[in-house]
Amino acid sequence: MTTAKFTIAFTGPGTVDGVMDVRELAPSLLAIGTLFDAANSTLNGEAANVRVNVRATKQACFEVDLELGQTIVQQLLKVMGGDAISGALNLVELVALGGKSLLWLIKKLRGKKPEKVEKIDAETVRLSIGGEQIEIPLKLLRLFQDISVRDAVEKVVEPIGKSGVDAIEFRNSKRETEIRIVEA
């Protein structure tokens, strides 16, 4: 099994004491599991299974460290980057972390659809949006277009605007914020 660690933090005045209503937190955390299940299924089919485990919490905001575990078959290793660790890491980077992730793309597009999608090569596409062109991995486009993946993203960010939560942050293993999603 390969793993990739990341952090999700719910921030805002309602989380300063390190407490959050379970009825708002639980659906978001469950949706993270659903999001990675859907993303993994979209990209890998039956060749890999994922599991998201909760690690711990931290005071001053309600912070949860998550660990994505992925079991994969040898053939998939070639597709996802070669060695055993890169499969889980690639999935986390495509969904939430890294320069161009699913969350970054959704935030960038702000509900707009690309006007044009051009295939550059076997692994890269170019999106045209309002005169701007963005090159992204084809795998990222597949995630963006998958309804089950997009539904799960909506549920992950649902706590924003409730009970004093004004943002959700996804952080890398060094606890550096990679993407911050705030109320529109």
Side-chain angles (χ1 to χ4, degrees):
M1 179 186 302
T2 65
T3 62
K5 296 178 184 175
F6 61 100
T7 301
I8 182 170
F10 299 84
T11 65
T15 62
V16 173
D17 60 357
V19 175
M20 191 170 167
D21 187 326
V22 71
R23 289 175 295 273
E24 293 171 9
L25 175 65
S28 182
L29 292 179
L30 289 171
I32 290 170
T34 302
L35 170 60
F36 279 102
D37 283 342
N40 183 65
S41 178
T42 297
L43 297 177
N44 303 317
E46 298 294 320
N49 297 309
V50 295
R51 180 181 178 135
V52 179
N53 297 314
V54 176
R55 277 273 181 208
T57 61
K58 179 183 175 184
Q59 291 184 355
C61 70
F62 193 89
E63 182 174 289
V64 179
D65 289 341
L66 301 173
E67 178 179 280
L68 174 70
Q70 181 184 52
T71 57
I72 54 181
V73 294
Q74 286 296 56
Q75 297 156 335
L76 183 63
L77 292 177
K78 294 177 186 173
V79 175
M80 292 300 285
D83 60 58
I85 192 95
S86 64
L89 288 173
N90 282 343
L91 192 56
V92 168
E93 287 176 1
L94 277 170
V95 170
L97 304 178
K100 293 182 179 175
S101 68
L102 174 64
L103 298 178
W104 169 85
L105 183 60
I106 290 170
K107 190 174 175 180
K108 176 100 175 141
L109 295 178
R110 297 185 183 268
K112 297 176 189 170
K113 291 183 180 181
E115 294 135 18
K116 187 175 182 183
V117 178
E118 299 174 78
K119 190 171 184 176
I120 295 174
D121 58 39
E123 297 179 8
T124 311
V125 294
R126 179 181 298 125
L127 306 179
S128 298
I129 305 125
E132 182 180 359
Q133 295 186 339
I134 304 168
E135 291 185 14
I136 62 169
L138 179 59
K139 292 176 186 177
L140 178 55
L141 179 63
R142 287 178 55 207
L143 290 177
F144 179 77
Q145 293 174 328
D146 189 280
I147 298 299
S148 61
V149 171
R150 297 286 297 279
D151 287 346
V153 169
E154 284 184 33
K155 290 177 182 159
V156 169
V157 299
E158 205 169 82
I160 298 174
K162 296 180 181 176
S163 299
V165 174
D166 59 17
I168 297 176
E169 297 177 356
F170 286 80
R171 301 175 182 162
N172 60 27
S173 59
K174 297 176 185 173
R175 298 192 182 275
E176 301 163 331
T177 299
E178 296 261 343
I179 189 154
R180 178 178 170 87
I181 303 167
V182 297
E183 188 173 14

